[in-house]
Amino acid sequence: MSFELPPLPFAYEALEPHISAETFRFHHDKHHAKYVHNLNDLLAKRKGETPTLEQLVCGPEGAVRRNAEQAWNHEFFFNGLSAKGGGDPPQPLADALSECFGDVKAFRDEFTKAALGHFGSGWAWLVQNQSGELEVMATHDEVNPMRRQCLPLLTCDVWEHAYYIDYRNDRGAYLDAFWKVVNWDALAQRLACGDSSDRRA
Ligand SMILES: [Fe+2]
């Protein structure tokens, strides 16, 4: 079995000037592609298994899981961006965010703080935890919140390869850009469906 690299869900230049076509040509065509390629190489050595990507993400620790997580995370991240994104979240998402964080600005501030404060490579997330509450978290390297029985709703890639071409080491400027292209509709759909697998939609 093998996994295919999903196409970028928008044109390379669609999110300019906030995130450049050059960034996406490297981030999707090189970095994301490498994780899928590595995963397929590792799985080629196995026989008789047909796990889903989600099963691999929640599977035993090791290179297969790490590459499966990075493959999953990148597709989820790209699907969470849109040329029609940014601005304010629609209802009832705005109410759901306000209920858990106080208001939308407080959510945005907490998410941004988690992204900016994360040391090294990793991901900032909005998740729904096992109690059904919305929660912001950051994870190191490849770690996906599904490992912790949390439902991912939104993520921001804070590996330097996500922003170095456009913003060099200025992660704060990259977060400002992220909020201008965040795909609220994808987040709302994930929350409404209780399912992070928009990758198969
Ligand atoms: Fe990345």
Side-chain angles (χ1 to χ4, degrees):
M1 66 167 294
S2 65
F3 291 96
E4 289 188 7
L5 175 67
L8 198 65
F10 39 76
Y12 289 104
E13 69 279 8
L15 273 53
E16 290 185 340
H18 309 298
I19 303 177
S20 69
E22 186 181 5
T23 286
F24 285 119
R25 289 190 193 282
F26 276 88
H27 202 176
H28 176 269
D29 296 5
K30 305 292 184 188
H31 292 278
H32 188 185
K34 182 192 75 175
Y35 295 119
V36 175
H37 177 82
N38 289 350
L39 178 61
N40 286 333
D41 271 359
L42 290 162
L43 292 174
K45 298 167 189 163
R46 297 184 174 187
K47 302 238 185 282
E49 291 186 34
T50 55
T52 65
L53 198 55
E54 286 78 7
Q55 287 171 327
L56 294 174
V57 165
C58 298
E61 188 174 359
V64 167
R65 184 173 81 179
R66 288 196 296 274
N67 282 284
E69 284 176 290
Q70 283 294 74
W72 195 99
N73 295 352
H74 278 90
E75 185 172 359
F76 190 74
F77 169 63
F78 294 137
N79 285 341
L81 305 175
S82 170
K84 296 176 183 170
D88 297 319
Q91 294 292 3
L93 173 61
D95 280 349
L97 292 169
S98 296
E99 192 176 316
C100 285
F101 296 97
D103 56 37
V104 171
K105 181 181 181 303
F107 155 66
R108 215 189 278 242
D109 289 347
E110 187 170 335
F111 188 99
T112 300
K113 186 177 173 187
L116 296 183
H118 182 72
F119 186 82
S121 298
W123 302 81
W125 301 88
L126 174 69
V127 302
Q128 188 170 40
N129 64 26
Q130 280 183 292
S131 304
E133 298 161 340
L134 302 186
E135 182 182 329
V136 166
M137 65 170 63
T139 62
H140 280 286
D141 299 324
E142 81 288 359
V143 175
N144 183 296
M146 289 191 289
R147 277 202 217 171
R148 303 174 188 169
Q149 289 75 50
C150 290
L151 175 75
L153 297 171
L154 182 71
T155 193
C156 182
D157 186 342
V158 295
W159 287 58
E160 277 197 348
H161 66 229
Y163 57 90
Y164 203 81
I165 290 171
D166 295 331
Y167 299 104
R168 297 299 184 227
N169 63 331
D170 191 348
R171 193 184 287 182
Y174 164 63
L175 261 293
D176 289 344
F178 171 79
W179 290 120
K180 288 173 181 156
V181 293
V182 65
N183 186 350
W184 292 120
D185 290 339
L187 199 174
Q189 185 172 351
R190 292 161 179 168
L191 182 60
C193 298
D195 189 348
S196 298
S197 55
D198 48 18
R199 51 186 300 273
R200 292 189 300 271

